[in-house]
Amino acid sequence: MSKKNLVAQGLASLEAETAQRASRVPRAPDANRDPALPQQFQPANAPAVAPALVPASFETSTLDGMDEAKQVETLEAAYWDADRAEVRSFQLAKMQGSVLKGELLQLLLERRAHEHRGLTVGDYAESLGIKRQYVYDLIGAAQDIRALAPLIEETSTPVVASQAAVLAPLYKADPEAAGLVLQAAKDSGKLSAASLTEAARDLGLLPPAGTPAPKPAPPAPVSPADVAGRLAFADAYKVLAPKLIEQLVQENPGAVLDQVQAIEAEIIKVQRRVDAAKKAARKAIGAEA
């Protein structure tokens, strides 16, 4: 064997031995991580440390050297910290679940999942273990929470559907005012839809409690021509105006489809009555002749 080949073989053996020794050395959990990179850009094979599901016990050694009154004060503070953590964890899970489920339900309705299963929207909702109205409640909650995302991220405050329903219209009108309402509700000691509503009232953003809702304008007198027009065209004709449908489809196509199917069912009922009315009218005309 030539000198050149001997040198190459020796180097290969040395590299193999070095690699074998290195594989026996325990690696740090974050050995593959680059602290300069955000989480989403870390190597895929970077070992992930799963968070503990069961929290560590309270460290009683922190009470050493305290008198009994101070120990009680410290334990009570820890209790309320745990209570706040529990509420926040619950709200975070509820918020994330509402957003994901609501957006998925909207996608399912847009793709007519109920029709693919041979079901109505109501029956399809039942197959998912929820009521038909709750489908639209979840879709609305997802839209409200998604609209509030900047405020939620800025304040690190998760909100549930009922709270988002109060905040979303306020945020749309004035994001800064909505932030003040959220902070005031948090400062009250309990974040809830009721505390948000109260804070909004205190800031003059909502009318005071007990303020009667404005009465709807009385309907205009109905003339015989109006009645004839309704008999001829029906209210559904206006509801199904192409421009209006185009706008509604952009906002919530699933809800439009559901409502149109309900109108279609009503039209079938109306058609039966039309046929009966025509039959009665012709019979009366025949009797007069």
Side-chain angles (χ1 to χ4, degrees):
M1 184 178 296
S2 68
K3 183 177 179 180
K4 182 178 180 180
N5 288 340
L6 283 172
V7 172
Q9 184 177 359
L11 289 173
S13 299
L14 182 60
E15 290 175 357
E17 184 178 353
T18 302
Q20 187 176 10
R21 288 178 180 175
S23 66
R24 299 194 192 106
V25 178
R27 304 190 62 177
D30 59 351
N32 291 338
R33 298 177 62 82
D34 183 347
L37 290 176
Q39 173 67 30
Q40 62 266 35
F41 299 118
Q42 294 294 342
N45 59 349
V49 179
L53 296 180
V54 179
S57 300
F58 178 80
E59 187 54 65
T60 55
S61 62
T62 58
L63 303 175
D64 293 346
M66 298 181 184
D67 60 31
E68 191 171 283
K70 184 62 175 176
Q71 290 183 12
V72 169
E73 182 182 338
T74 302
L75 289 169
E76 286 180 341
Y79 171 84
W80 289 116
D81 283 344
D83 184 70
R84 283 188 290 271
E86 178 187 25
V87 171
R88 189 179 187 282
S89 177
F90 169 77
Q91 288 198 280
L92 179 60
K94 284 288 291 180
M95 181 185 74
Q96 292 175 339
S98 295
V99 171
L100 293 175
K101 291 198 295 184
E103 291 179 343
L104 288 169
L105 284 169
Q106 182 166 2
L107 291 172
L108 284 166
L109 286 183
E110 289 172 359
R111 286 154 180 77
R112 304 183 181 183
H114 54 290
E115 293 184 4
H116 285 289
R117 303 293 184 217
L119 301 170
T120 64
V121 173
D123 290 337
Y124 184 69
E126 293 285 349
S127 74
L128 298 176
I130 56 179
K131 297 294 185 183
R132 177 179 176 276
Q133 183 56 47
Y134 191 50
V135 171
Y136 298 108
D137 290 344
L138 278 171
I139 291 174
Q143 293 170 346
D144 286 343
I145 294 170
R146 191 64 76 184
L148 290 169
L151 179 62
I152 292 169
E153 298 293 346
E154 179 185 351
T155 60
S156 298
T157 306
V159 295
V160 296
S162 59
Q163 298 161 7
V166 177
L167 278 174
L170 299 175
Y171 186 80
K172 183 177 181 180
D174 188 339
E176 185 176 351
L180 294 175
V181 170
L182 178 58
Q183 188 58 51
K186 291 168 66 177
D187 291 343
S188 71
K190 183 174 178 60
L191 178 60
S192 65
S195 66
L196 287 166
T197 301
E198 184 177 354
R201 285 172 177 159
D202 291 342
L203 292 170
L205 301 173
L206 289 177
T211 303
K215 294 182 179 180
V222 179
S223 68
D226 290 333
V227 174
R230 289 185 183 180
L231 285 173
F233 301 107
D235 292 336
Y237 185 82
K238 295 180 181 179
V239 173
L240 296 173
K243 288 291 185 183
L244 178 59
I245 291 296
E246 182 180 351
Q247 177 185 350
L248 294 174
V249 164
Q250 291 177 353
E251 296 175 359
N252 193 337
V256 171
L257 180 62
D258 194 28
Q259 292 301 321
V260 168
Q261 288 174 333
I263 291 173
E264 185 179 23
E266 196 66 26
I267 288 174
I268 293 173
K269 296 178 185 176
V270 171
Q271 186 61 53
R272 290 174 184 160
R273 292 196 173 184
V274 167
D275 292 340
K278 287 164 64 176
K279 184 177 179 180
R282 286 169 180 159
K283 184 178 180 180
I285 292 171
E288 291 177 357

